[in-house]
């Protein structure tokens, strides 16, 4: 059976490559977010946009006040200094306004934090274990004939082994594969030092701490390849333990899982 790992999800004609894989990864000179693939990341992006609105309003208001003050209270414009030392109304206003803004920001922030921490009746569980310097994945819901769970290691693919269209320093030999439209619980830990399982498009950054189990939830809304890296400085090869999550349709996931049982 042909392994699904060698088959790109999205391939199209590209002027410089015969076969280019459409995937979610950082682009050159990118200043915004990667496209969201989970409801969690959508919430993070929406909260960021809301906060930027308040930030711009405050920036414009404070800049206007500073410029107006500098212009009208310059010595040539106002040679007689003001004797005003207190303004009760103004002091109440500039104390209450920031408090109201923080209150308006807190409500969606608390909702998002609660949603990120809540695990909704997972259909499947995947254990992720960080090592120096690679990742191990265990699909503990599925057991082979020898009563061992489906598990594999995921190493960064050497540059000389990458194919046309694959990403240097981001491609791995075994991708973590999940079905779309399925609630997945990811349990994250480490075997040696502290790592961090981080994928920007999925809105996940979960610390992998030895002796501790952290968890995160996934609900993939679309197919694709999602790239991440360890975001905790874990030693000499910290920058060489990438993460690749492949989201596929349920029939393709079953085919991939069947190939793992044959190993």
């Amino acid at each position: 059976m042909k392994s699904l790992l060698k088959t790109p999800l999205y391939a199209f004609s590209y002027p410089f490559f015969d076969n280019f894989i459409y995937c979610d990864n950082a682009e050159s000179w990118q200043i915004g977010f990667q496209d969201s693939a989970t409801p969690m990341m959508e919430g993070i992006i929406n909260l960021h946009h809301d906060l930027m609105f308040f930030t711009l309003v405050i920036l414009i208001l404070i800049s206007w006040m500073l410029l107006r003050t500098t212009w009208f209270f310059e010595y040539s414009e106002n040679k007689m200094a003001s004797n005003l030392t207190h303004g009760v109304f103004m002091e109440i206003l500039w104390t209450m306004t920031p408090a109201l803004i923080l209150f308006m920001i807190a409500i969606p922030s608390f909702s998002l934090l609660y949603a990120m921490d809540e695990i909704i009746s997972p259909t499947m569980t995947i254990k992720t274990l960080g090592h120096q310097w690679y990742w191990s994945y265990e699909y503990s819901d599925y057991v082979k004939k020898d009563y061992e769970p489906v598990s594999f290691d995921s190493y960064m693919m050497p540059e000389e082994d990458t194919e046309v269209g694959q990403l240097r320093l981001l491609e791995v030999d075994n991708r973590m594969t999940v079905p779309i439209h399925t609630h997945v619980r990811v349990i994250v830990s480490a075997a040696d030092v502290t790592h961090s399982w981080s994928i920007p498009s999925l809105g996940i950054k979960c610390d992998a701490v030895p002796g501790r189990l952290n968890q995160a939830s996934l609900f993939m809304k679309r197919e694709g390849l999602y790239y991440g890296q360890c975001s905790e400085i874990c030693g000499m090869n910290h920058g060489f333990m990438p993460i690749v999550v492949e989201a596929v349709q349920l029939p393709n996931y079953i085919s991939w899982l069947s190939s793992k049982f044959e190993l």
Side-chain angles (χ1 to χ4, degrees), residues 19 61 187 236 239:
N19 189 20
L61 177 61
I187 297 178
M236 179 179 61

Side-chain angles (χ1 to χ4, degrees), residues 156-157 159 162 167-171 228-229 239-242:
M156 185 188 74
M157 189 175 294
E159 185 175 354
T162 56
L167 301 176
R168 173 180 172 269
L169 301 181
L170 286 178
E171 192 57 62
Q229 291 177 297
F240 304 98
M241 49 183 304

Side-chain angles (χ1 to χ4, degrees), residues 121-209:
S121 299
T123 305
M124 56 181 293
T125 300
I126 302 175
K127 296 179 182 178
T128 301
L129 195 63
H131 304 267
Q132 290 182 315
W133 286 270
Y134 64 96
W135 296 95
S136 296
Y137 299 102
E138 179 182 305
Y139 291 67
S140 53
D141 295 323
Y142 313 106
V143 180
K144 299 181 181 180
K145 294 181 180 179
D146 56 359
Y147 301 104
E148 291 293 329
V150 174
S151 61
F152 53 88
D153 297 329
S154 180
Y155 289 87
M156 185 188 74
M157 189 175 294
E159 185 175 354
E160 59 271 12
D161 294 337
T162 56
E163 300 177 357
V164 175
Q166 292 181 333
L167 301 176
R168 173 180 172 269
L169 301 181
L170 286 178
E171 192 57 62
V172 297
D173 55 356
N174 289 304
R175 300 168 182 164
M176 172 181 156
T177 305
V178 296
I180 63 173
H181 302 153
T182 302
H183 289 284
V184 180
R185 175 175 58 186
V186 181
I187 297 178
V188 182
S189 186
D192 34 49
V193 299
T194 303
H195 301 275
S196 185
W197 201 71
S198 176
I199 305 176
S201 294
L202 308 184
I204 289 182
K205 185 178 184 294
C206 189
D207 287 340
V209 182

Side-chain angles (χ1 to χ4, degrees), residues 41-61:
M41 189 58 187
E42 289 181 1
I44 293 173
I45 293 176
N46 291 335
L47 178 63
H48 170 267
H49 293 344
D50 293 340
L51 295 183
M52 285 301 298
F53 170 78
F54 287 107
T55 302
L56 288 175
V57 171
I58 294 172
L59 176 63
I60 293 172
L61 177 61

Side-chain angles (χ1 to χ4, degrees), residues 2-263:
K2 183 180 180 181
S3 175
L4 190 65
L5 299 180
K6 297 299 182 182
T7 305
L9 290 175
Y10 301 99
F12 56 92
S13 177
Y14 197 75
F16 304 105
F17 301 103
D18 294 329
N19 189 20
F20 186 81
I21 300 177
Y22 178 80
C23 50
D24 287 68
N25 61 285
E27 300 177 359
S28 300
W29 303 100
Q30 181 176 350
I31 60 174
F33 292 101
Q34 296 182 24
D35 293 337
S36 62
T38 62
M40 209 66 62
M41 189 58 187
E42 289 181 1
I44 293 173
I45 293 176
N46 291 335
L47 178 63
H48 170 267
H49 293 344
D50 293 340
L51 295 183
M52 285 301 298
F53 170 78
F54 287 107
T55 302
L56 288 175
V57 171
I58 294 172
L59 176 63
I60 293 172
L61 177 61
I62 298 301
S63 300
W64 175 80
M65 292 177 63
L66 289 175
L67 291 174
R68 184 178 175 85
T69 302
T70 304
W71 177 261
F72 284 103
F73 290 88
E74 198 266 333
Y75 175 75
S76 61
E77 295 289 335
N78 188 6
K79 297 182 179 181
M80 183 65 67
S82 173
N83 294 323
L84 181 65
T85 57
H86 291 284
V88 177
F89 175 75
M90 286 300 299
E91 290 179 0
I92 293 177
L93 186 63
W94 69 47
T95 301
M96 294 299 297
T97 302
L100 291 175
I101 292 176
L102 290 176
F103 181 75
M104 295 173 65
I105 292 174
I107 295 176
S109 300
F110 291 155
S111 300
L112 180 61
L113 287 173
Y114 178 81
M116 293 176 67
D117 192 56
E118 185 70 14
I119 304 297
I120 303 175
S121 299
T123 305
M124 56 181 293
T125 300
I126 302 175
K127 296 179 182 178
T128 301
L129 195 63
H131 304 267
Q132 290 182 315
W133 286 270
Y134 64 96
W135 296 95
S136 296
Y137 299 102
E138 179 182 305
Y139 291 67
S140 53
D141 295 323
Y142 313 106
V143 180
K144 299 181 181 180
K145 294 181 180 179
D146 56 359
Y147 301 104
E148 291 293 329
V150 174
S151 61
F152 53 88
D153 297 329
S154 180
Y155 289 87
M156 185 188 74
M157 189 175 294
E159 185 175 354
E160 59 271 12
D161 294 337
T162 56
E163 300 177 357
V164 175
Q166 292 181 333
L167 301 176
R168 173 180 172 269
L169 301 181
L170 286 178
E171 192 57 62
V172 297
D173 55 356
N174 289 304
R175 300 168 182 164
M176 172 181 156
T177 305
V178 296
I180 63 173
H181 302 153
T182 302
H183 289 284
V184 180
R185 175 175 58 186
V186 181
I187 297 178
V188 182
S189 186
D192 34 49
V193 299
T194 303
H195 301 275
S196 185
W197 201 71
S198 176
I199 305 176
S201 294
L202 308 184
I204 289 182
K205 185 178 184 294
C206 189
D207 287 340
V209 182
R212 178 184 177 91
L213 296 179
N214 292 327
Q215 64 179 2
S217 61
L218 281 178
F219 184 83
M220 312 297 294
K221 299 184 66 175
R222 57 184 173 88
E223 294 180 86
L225 293 177
Y226 306 99
Y227 290 83
Q229 291 177 297
C230 175
S231 58
E232 188 76 31
I233 298 178
C234 56
M236 179 179 61
N237 290 329
H238 157 69
F240 304 98
M241 49 183 304
I243 306 161
V244 183
V245 176
E246 183 173 4
V248 298
Q249 295 282 353
L250 184 59
N252 293 336
Y253 172 74
I254 295 175
S255 300
W256 172 84
L257 192 61
S258 299
S259 66
K260 289 298 179 183
F261 276 95
E262 296 175 0
L263 298 178

